[in-house]
Amino acid sequence: MITSTTGPQPADFADVRATNLAVVLRFVREHAPCSRADIAASTGLNKATVSSLVADLIDRRLVRETGLTENRVGRPATMLVLDGSPYAAIGVEINVDHVSAVATGLAGERLLTWRRAFSAGGSAGQDVAAVAAIVRRVVGRMARDERQVLGLAVAVPGLVDVQGVVRIAPNLGWRDADIGGDLAKALRDPGFTVQVDNDANLAALAEQRFGARAGAADLVYLTGEIGVGAGVILDGRLRRGALGYSGEIGHVQLDPDGPACRCGRRGCLEAVAGIGAILRRDLSPGEIPVEIEDTVRAARAGDAAVLATLDAAGRSLGRGVSVLANLLNPAVVVLGGYYVPLAPWLLPAVRAEVADRAIAPEGGGCEVVASTLGLDAAALGGAARVLDSVDSGRLPGGISRIS
Ligand SMILES: [Zn+2]
């Protein structure tokens, strides 16, 4: 039934208040310690509104007063900082041979980092049960620390549509799997949201929030695993495309006569510059870390064949990055995963190719750097996505005070 009404509805007021609470929370996150007057001056909200919003945030234990005051002309102002002590955000990354879990506090401080062996390739149902068992242990640990879980975001190496359904995750053997829904069921309605996203997307969010170039509005993260995918942040926002499948740079064809790719085509970026191509053999995921160490050792020792392989891979990777530079004009492209230990040998070739192939002067200002977040960047990005939800207004409320 359609009713016509005049004036704003209660829902509108609630929306405005949630939006304003988020505005104040973000301001405190970025500028703490800060006073109520600082918030009013910078946000344009009037002082009474700010006082009411801050009281609400203090009540939700998202913000607290420090007890410190700032000496100003006139009355001293009580300073505010993020609280968040009763909360945690959880990110989980599912890989072929392991699951990583990261929990952070509201300010992004790391509370827990776990890596557990995991063997994908049963049914998606069995895999979900195994992941749910790990999540339950993380949630249990947070509960013992008297922290309420704000949300869980799960990173999957595969195509995840905008609804969060995993369409294809070739290395996990999943197809059309509603992992988020199944996980929520396996966790028996856990009281927090469960989101699922592509691993490169979440790693890009981790870089944007926690990386060496945190705050960059135009950033691309490249996964350096057997597969190569891109998480694309433009104008400050993750760009998923119409159905959620953006960023498949790994299957841009660089050489029509190149080696066969896992996707069935030839000469894709990941077939010429993925970790499998660099290590030059078919490896089980568990063998990769050892092989990478061997490669690094050989490169350090000046092994000519290994140096030539890394240079060739770096050039191919650079051709891929130059596609990104020409198309998206990112300020920074972050190489992640196993590209990180190989970066001293890959980066010079990558940068030379980008400078050579980008039409804009100096690669359009595109810097290429190695990630500083380690192999669990996507799990950390899961926590970042949960924090992003809080920052955009999905605030926890009505928690019972822990006395
Ligand atoms: Zn391919």
Side-chain angles (χ1 to χ4, degrees):
M1 189 177 75
I2 297 165
T3 55
S4 75
T5 54
T6 55
Q9 293 296 289
D12 297 335
F13 289 123
D15 285 351
V16 169
R17 185 151 179 96
T19 302
N20 286 342
L21 284 167
V23 166
V24 173
L25 182 65
R26 283 199 304 272
F27 187 88
V28 176
R29 181 190 290 289
E30 284 161 27
H31 299 94
C34 59
S35 68
R36 288 167 176 80
D38 296 334
I39 297 168
S42 296
T43 61
L45 295 164
N46 74 50
K47 284 185 184 174
T49 304
V50 168
S51 286
S52 160
L53 294 167
V54 167
D56 194 337
L57 292 173
I58 288 174
D59 210 40
R60 293 169 197 253
R61 296 185 64 187
L62 293 165
V63 164
R64 65 184 170 84
E65 296 180 332
T66 60
L68 298 172
T69 55
E70 190 180 50
N71 284 322
R72 296 175 183 242
V73 179
R75 283 193 305 157
T78 304
M79 302 306 273
L80 302 164
V81 293
L82 277 188
D83 179 5
S85 50
Y87 300 112
I90 302 178
V92 163
E93 177 180 353
I94 302 175
N95 279 297
V96 182
D97 65 332
H98 72 271
V99 171
S100 295
V102 167
T104 76
L106 187 70
E109 73 277 21
R110 200 79 82 102
L111 302 173
L112 166 157
T113 305
W114 283 353
R115 189 177 265 234
R116 296 284 184 270
F118 167 76
S119 176
S123 66
Q126 288 168 334
D127 292 343
V128 164
V131 174
I134 293 163
V135 171
R136 268 196 293 272
R137 287 210 289 278
V138 177
V139 173
R141 167 66 75 85
M142 291 302 108
R144 279 204 297 284
D145 294 346
E146 300 185 326
R147 286 178 186 268
Q148 176 193 336
V149 174
L150 294 166
L152 163 69
V154 181
V156 174
L159 292 179
V160 180
D161 72 16
V162 284
Q163 269 83 42
V165 174
V166 179
R167 286 300 171 199
I168 311 168
N171 296 332
L172 301 176
W174 296 353
R175 204 169 249 281
D176 297 327
D178 177 14
I179 298 302
D182 292 349
L183 205 45
K185 264 184 232 144
L187 293 169
R188 301 214 171 89
D189 192 12
F192 51 79
T193 57
V194 179
Q195 306 176 80
V196 177
D197 208 335
N198 168 267
D199 57 349
N201 285 349
L202 291 182
L205 289 182
E207 290 292 339
Q208 189 193 31
R209 190 177 271 266
F210 302 115
R213 303 302 164 95
D218 301 283
L219 175 152
V220 177
Y221 179 95
L222 277 187
T223 58
E225 311 284 338
I226 296 288
V228 178
V232 178
I233 289 171
L234 288 180
D235 302 323
R237 291 185 54 198
L238 194 57
R239 301 296 167 173
R240 292 193 167 78
L243 298 179
Y245 307 145
S246 71
E248 290 299 327
I249 188 80
H251 301 286
V252 167
Q253 190 181 53
L254 296 182
D255 178 2
D257 303 317
C261 181
R262 291 176 313 139
C263 73
R265 299 167 185 86
R266 300 198 81 83
C268 298
L269 172 64
E270 83 176 40
V272 293
I275 291 303
I278 292 174
L279 299 177
R280 289 198 162 172
R281 40 202 189 99
D282 273 338
L283 295 162
S284 69
E287 294 173 298
I288 293 176
V290 175
E291 292 286 326
I292 292 283
E293 269 179 45
D294 286 350
T295 303
V296 167
R297 203 174 299 123
R300 281 206 188 110
D303 182 315
V306 167
L307 292 175
T309 299
L310 288 171
D311 184 66
R315 291 199 173 277
S316 295
L317 190 55
R319 289 170 64 191
V321 173
S322 72
V323 171
L324 295 168
N326 278 327
L327 205 58
L328 306 173
N329 188 210
V332 59
V333 172
V334 183
L335 305 185
Y338 293 115
Y339 285 143
V340 175
L342 302 175
W345 300 280
L346 294 174
L347 279 175
V350 173
R351 289 170 176 155
E353 287 292 315
V354 173
D356 203 35
R357 291 172 184 276
I359 183 95
E362 285 146 25
C366 174
E367 282 188 85
V368 188
V369 300
S371 174
T372 54
L373 297 179
L375 287 171
D376 301 321
L380 180 61
R385 178 155 172 198
V386 172
L387 295 179
D388 284 351
S389 305
V390 174
D391 281 357
S392 59
R394 195 185 292 167
L395 303 184
I399 61 152
S400 53
R401 295 291 183 111
I402 297 153
S403 52

